[in-house]
Amino acid sequence: MNIHIDGARHRDDAERTLLAAIDEFVAIRRDLHQYPELSFHERRTSEVVAKYLLSYGYEVREGVGGYGVVATLRRGKGGRRIGIRADIDALPVEEATDLAYSSRNPGVMHACGHDGHTTILLAAARYLAEHGKFSGTLTLIFQPAEEVGAGARKMIEDRLFERFPVDAVFGLHNWPGVTAGQFGFVEGPAMASVDQALIRIVGRGGHGAAPHEAVDPVLASASFITALQSIVARNVDPLEMAVLTVGSIHGGSASNVIPESVELKLTARAYSPEVRDRLEQRVPALARAQAESFGAHAEVNYRRGFPAVVNHVEETRFARSVAESNFPLEQVAKDFRPRTASEDFAYMLQARPGSYLFVGNGDSAPLHSPQYDFNDEIIAPAARFWVRLAEAFLS
């Protein structure tokens, strides 16, 4: 990319300006937190985002791929174009934080920090509009429906990158357990693909006192769950990664009745397309074989989710160099490892070069936990990173 980075000259300017306005952005974040909206229902959130962007002077387009919002700002004669993305949807989780700004929408919660991601990008947007030193086109993408893996794809299908061309696209996610405000970068696979399987093992119901007269799908299911990890242990290259998790199992309603069937739901994750294909082949085959060995049969609905997040090397090294030029070295993780969670930003990286990075959320509850809360202390440093990344890319 051969872009010269000179962050030291303006390093303190952005920091001071962002910190001076931090109370305003904390208020925005907590407002978003109080009114979370599920995927495909982000009407209020997108309206709030668009309102602020318009007030900052951006050209704003709403309704991209659903409730997506895209804002552009052009300055100077530069021909380079950068895209920066934040996700805006929430989760079907009942909040249990007892915070003054807890969710007011029952059963819906910002348990993944998308309220924080949105606020970070809004803070960077205002600074860049008022003080940004760049020449080119800045495109800010506020994406809906990340949690169900559909938002990025729908925006792309709505001709996101044809209508708003970018040379590279970047995104970030907060991460609990990592020092607050510390940045992590991963070249290549950074997050796993995710696929789902709904498996119904069908036997023959009967009395619990006479199991020989029935075909027990509970026993067959238990054997399948135990055997499932043999796929990871014996069908996947030991140098590769695979995760198989059964998150739901339901069958029967009484202790003395052998049910007719048992339903299981599982997820399969991998970094490489080859391992992903292998899991799709082996999981159904093993389910059917295990069921048949007990005289039952298995019905398998295996659905592909979204692919692995694979960061482009050049753009990731560029982003890391921006962090190293503008923050203390201890604020840039030396050896940040890939995560096995999943992200539909993967689709954007398949469409355009770019990188997905991480910023520490400190010692907080895990993502998707009812006790999780985004750390407002990382709004300013993360926004400052977006500012310096945009300025460096468009210099």
Side-chain angles (χ1 to χ4, degrees):
M1 294 171 71
N2 299 321
I3 296 177
H4 175 64
I5 298 169
D6 182 12
R9 183 175 53 177
H10 302 297
R11 182 178 301 167
D12 295 333
D13 297 345
E15 186 173 21
R16 284 195 298 268
T17 302
L18 288 164
L19 287 173
I22 195 61
D23 288 346
E24 175 185 344
F25 288 105
V26 168
I28 292 173
R29 202 283 292 183
R30 295 183 178 184
D31 172 75
L32 293 172
H33 189 89
Q34 287 184 86
Y35 300 99
E37 296 170 305
L38 294 175
S39 301
F40 303 117
H41 299 278
E42 309 94 336
R43 180 188 299 274
R44 179 187 185 273
T45 305
S46 65
E47 289 175 351
V48 169
V49 167
K51 178 190 72 174
Y52 282 112
L53 292 167
L54 285 167
S55 73
Y56 302 157
Y58 284 78
E59 180 182 329
V60 178
R61 183 66 58 88
E62 299 179 67
V64 181
Y67 285 111
V69 179
V70 180
T72 54
L73 185 65
R74 299 173 182 85
R75 185 165 292 168
K77 297 181 180 180
R80 293 184 63 79
R81 305 160 299 186
I82 186 174
I84 305 176
R85 172 267 207 178
D87 35 20
I88 67 174
D89 57 329
L91 283 158
V93 173
E94 186 70 36
E95 184 160 358
T97 63
D98 294 324
L99 293 166
Y101 51 88
S102 292
S103 171
R104 297 187 181 184
N105 295 339
V108 185
M109 177 191 175
H110 271 298
C112 202
H114 295 186
D115 50 342
H117 303 165
T118 299
T119 304
I120 288 167
L121 192 51
L122 286 174
R126 192 174 89 172
Y127 181 91
L128 285 163
E130 295 177 352
H131 309 285
K133 297 176 175 61
F134 65 90
S135 179
T137 302
L138 173 66
T139 298
L140 308 181
I141 304 164
F142 293 84
Q143 181 208 305
E146 184 280 327
E147 294 294 358
V148 296
R153 189 175 66 250
K154 284 188 175 297
M155 292 190 84
I156 292 169
E157 289 172 352
D158 200 9
R159 301 178 62 250
L160 171 67
F161 293 126
E162 289 76 26
R163 296 161 66 187
F164 311 97
V166 299
D167 298 310
V169 63
F170 298 85
L172 65 71
H173 207 293
N174 79 93
W175 210 264
V178 176
T179 301
Q182 186 180 65
F183 296 98
F185 302 89
V186 180
E187 296 177 15
M191 300 186 80
S193 62
V194 60
D195 301 316
Q196 299 184 50
L198 173 61
I199 298 171
R200 183 169 178 258
I201 295 183
V202 182
R204 185 173 66 249
H207 198 294
H212 61 291
E213 296 176 355
V215 174
D216 191 348
V218 176
L219 184 61
S221 298
S223 181
F224 166 67
I225 292 172
T226 301
L228 193 63
Q229 299 310 318
S230 69
I231 296 176
V232 177
R234 289 296 178 265
N235 300 139
V236 174
D237 186 332
L239 299 180
E240 294 281 1
M241 185 282 293
V243 177
L244 292 169
T245 298
V246 177
S248 174
I249 176 169
H250 293 279
S253 58
S255 61
N256 63 343
V257 177
I258 294 173
E260 188 78 13
S261 65
V262 173
E263 288 190 353
L264 306 95
K265 296 178 181 179
L266 65 85
T267 55
R269 300 175 189 269
Y271 289 141
S272 78
E274 294 77 17
V275 172
R276 188 185 189 193
D277 291 343
R278 185 67 168 153
L279 297 179
E280 184 175 8
Q281 174 193 24
R282 290 296 301 139
V283 169
L286 185 67
R288 295 186 180 105
Q290 284 287 311
E292 289 171 6
S293 72
F294 288 88
H297 70 274
E299 301 168 354
V300 182
N301 180 8
Y302 198 100
R303 301 190 301 271
R304 287 229 162 184
F306 37 100
V309 172
V310 182
N311 285 332
H312 297 249
V313 172
E314 190 174 5
E315 284 70 22
T316 303
R317 291 179 179 175
F318 170 70
R320 183 185 183 94
S321 68
V322 169
E324 290 173 341
S325 298
N326 289 278
F327 294 88
L329 290 180
E330 62 270 18
Q331 213 165 330
V332 182
K334 293 182 179 179
D335 186 20
F336 198 86
R337 302 181 66 184
R339 269 42 188 168
T340 51
S342 305
E343 239 288 349
D344 78 343
F345 190 72
Y347 290 115
M348 293 197 181
L349 291 177
Q350 287 184 339
R352 293 293 183 274
S355 186
Y356 196 67
L357 58 119
F358 304 86
V359 59
N361 199 56
D363 186 20
S364 73
L367 300 173
H368 292 210
S369 163
Q371 287 82 34
Y372 170 86
D373 186 37
F374 181 85
N375 186 348
D376 290 326
E377 292 183 3
I378 72 174
I379 293 174
R384 183 175 161 223
F385 173 80
W386 282 147
V387 166
R388 295 310 182 213
L389 181 81
E391 289 183 331
F393 194 92
L394 301 176
S395 66

